[in-house]
C-alpha cells in the first residue's frame, strides 16, 4: 500500500500501454463489454419476470376462486421478486463500474 509502489506500478502500466497501444484500447473495451453484460443480464431478468406475470395472475385468480393460497404460488411470486432484485443488483454493478463512486 506504499504510494511510491502504486505510482511505480501505474507508470509501468502506462509505459506498457504506450509500447502496446492495442492493449490500452482493449482494456477499456473489455470493461465496456462487462458493463453491457451487466445491463443485458438485468434486461433478461426483467423480461423473464414480465413473461411470468400472466402465469402468476392465473395462479392468483385460481387461488381466489378456491379461497386458498397454494405454496407453489408463493414460491413463484418469490422467484419473480428475486429475479427483479437481481436485475437491480446487476444494474447497480454496471452503473458503479461505469461511473465509479461519488465519494
Amino acid at each position: 500500500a506504499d504510494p511510491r509502489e502504486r505510482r511505480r506500478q501505474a507508470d509501468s502500466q502506462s509505459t506498457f500501454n504506450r509500447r502496446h497501444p492495442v492493449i490500452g484500447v482493449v482494456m477499456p473495451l473489455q470493461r465496456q463489454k462487462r458493463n453491457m453484460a451487466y445491463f443485458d443480464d438485468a434486461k433478461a431478468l426483467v423480461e423473464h419476470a414480465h413473461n411470468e406475470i400472466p402465469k402468476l395472475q392465473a395462479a392468483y385468480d385460481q387461488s381466489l376462486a378456491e379461497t386458498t393460497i397454494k405454496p407453489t404460488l408463493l414460491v413463484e411470486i418469490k422467484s419473480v421478486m428475486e429475479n427483479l432484485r437481481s436485475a437491480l443488483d446487476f444494474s447497480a454493478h454496471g452503473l458503479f463500474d461505469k461511473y465509479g463512486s461519488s465519494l
Side-chain angles (χ1 to χ4, degrees):
D2 179 23
R4 287 179 287 188
E5 179 63 23
R6 280 187 283 181
R7 181 66 192 160
R8 188 189 66 70
Q9 288 173 351
D11 288 343
S12 172
Q13 183 64 40
S14 177
T15 302
F16 179 82
N17 286 344
R18 280 194 301 273
R19 276 188 261 146
H20 306 283
V22 173
I23 299 297
V25 173
V26 170
M27 294 305 284
L29 289 176
Q30 287 175 340
R31 189 175 305 121
Q32 194 174 32
K33 280 184 178 179
R34 186 177 67 223
N35 285 340
M36 291 309 298
Y38 282 130
F39 296 121
D40 291 341
D41 291 345
K43 271 190 197 179
L45 285 166
V46 170
E47 287 174 14
H48 179 73
H50 181 75
N51 293 334
E52 291 296 308
I53 297 295
K55 295 175 193 172
L56 286 177
Q57 184 65 49
Y60 176 74
D61 291 341
Q62 182 182 2
S63 180
L64 284 178
E66 295 174 359
T67 64
T68 69
I69 299 173
K70 293 183 179 178
T72 55
L73 174 61
L74 298 176
V75 170
E76 290 171 9
I77 291 170
K78 183 178 184 286
S79 176
V80 168
M81 298 307 290
E82 286 173 345
N83 285 338
L84 292 173
R85 181 176 154 197
S86 292
L88 286 173
D89 287 341
F90 281 130
S91 297
H93 280 286
L95 289 170
F96 184 82
D97 280 357
K98 185 172 183 176
Y99 297 108
S101 173
S102 63
L103 299 177

